[in-house]
Amino acid sequence: MTAHGAGNGEHEQSGPGRARLLVVVAVAAEAEAVLRGLPGGAVALPLPGGTLHRSGGAPVDVLAAGVGPAAAAAAASAALAARPYTLVVSAGIAGGFAPHAPVGATVVADAIVAADLGAETPEGFADVTELGFGTVRHTPPPALVGLVGRALADRGAVTGPVLTVSTVTGSARRAAALAARHPGAAAEAMEGFGVAEAAARYGVPALELRTVSNPVGPRDRAAWRIGEALAALERAFAALPVHELAARQAPETAVRHQPIEEAGRG
């Protein structure tokens, strides 16, 4: 699937003047699912701390960043420092909150929320916004959320907040607490807020797209449907209007971007 080095066609499509999307996933299996949904194979390019996979037939770069918001933020920042992108998408599989996002659903985030970033107080959990230390919420552009939702409507797409957690929920009690604190929450995952934080620092909009492999709640490995969720992720990217999403005007930033091929050189 992935080749090292690019021919003339790939070089033309991925030149520095071409608008591109950056898709950030956690693990290689998710990256492979995304790339299977895109045409033209991919070329592997070096990136400090990892490898970027550049689609040969779509304006998309895919990065497996590692698990959790810190790894996602660090890897996304490295990619954004290397070249400009018009949009960053956090993608992968996730737990879904029933009944809004059952197993097999595709979720398009209308809010990306750090659900466990804060402090326990005598009155209960207080997030960092309530504590006066920053933000716990990024709001993707509604027009882009609508565009993606319409493109995926026939694949069971639902829209709602996606929660970023550092510890995956494993009990009914915690699932109920999260649902009460975040009404309408559709899914929980571990990277979206980190990706959105990195994108915000470069002035780039962010989206989050998840396919549901299991219900949020008691940890039951027998109920996981990871293969089915990865297949749904592949189908979602096959249906996305990636050229239309990439056609947004590239953001102006104060960061000097190196060509990605040179980013790992001192």
Side-chain angles (χ1 to χ4, degrees):
M1 178 192 304
T2 301
H4 293 271
N8 290 337
E10 289 166 328
H11 177 77
E12 170 67 19
Q13 191 152 22
S14 57
R18 302 284 176 170
R20 302 191 71 84
L21 309 183
L22 175 64
V23 177
V24 183
V25 300
V27 298
E30 293 169 327
E32 291 163 2
V34 170
L35 290 167
R36 286 195 301 270
L38 301 173
V43 56
L45 300 173
L47 185 73
T51 301
L52 196 70
H53 298 279
R54 174 158 293 175
S55 171
V60 179
D61 292 348
V62 182
L63 176 63
V67 174
S77 292
L80 288 161
R83 77 176 315 278
Y85 290 94
T86 54
L87 178 66
V88 182
V89 181
S90 176
I93 65 175
F97 285 91
H100 187 39
V103 173
T106 299
V107 176
V108 183
D110 60 10
I112 302 170
V113 182
D116 56 4
L117 183 60
E120 293 290 346
T121 76
E123 293 76 29
F125 179 81
D127 65 41
V128 294
T129 301
E130 295 172 298
L131 296 171
F133 294 137
T135 185
V136 294
R137 185 184 185 96
H138 289 282
T139 302
L144 292 183
V145 173
L147 174 63
V148 172
R150 289 189 297 274
L152 301 179
D154 64 348
R155 285 166 171 77
V158 298
T159 300
V162 175
L163 310 184
T164 299
V165 295
S166 296
T167 301
V168 172
T169 297
S171 69
R173 179 179 178 181
R174 186 175 190 237
L178 288 173
R181 199 156 66 232
H182 304 283
E188 75 164 21
M190 300 183 75
E191 294 79 32
F193 187 79
V195 173
E197 279 283 287
R201 282 159 171 71
Y202 285 85
V204 182
L207 294 177
E208 187 165 7
L209 174 64
R210 297 284 173 174
T211 53
V212 176
S213 61
N214 57 277
V216 176
R219 189 172 176 83
D220 178 9
R221 294 175 67 93
W224 295 356
R225 298 293 181 265
I226 292 175
E228 291 91 332
L230 291 171
L233 188 64
E234 176 184 345
R235 292 191 297 271
F237 273 87
L240 280 183
V242 292
H243 289 86
E244 187 174 353
L245 290 169
R248 297 174 55 84
Q249 182 177 354
E252 294 293 330
T253 77
V255 178
R256 176 184 177 271
H257 294 91
Q258 297 173 279
I260 188 69
E261 292 82 358
E262 300 176 2
R265 301 173 187 172

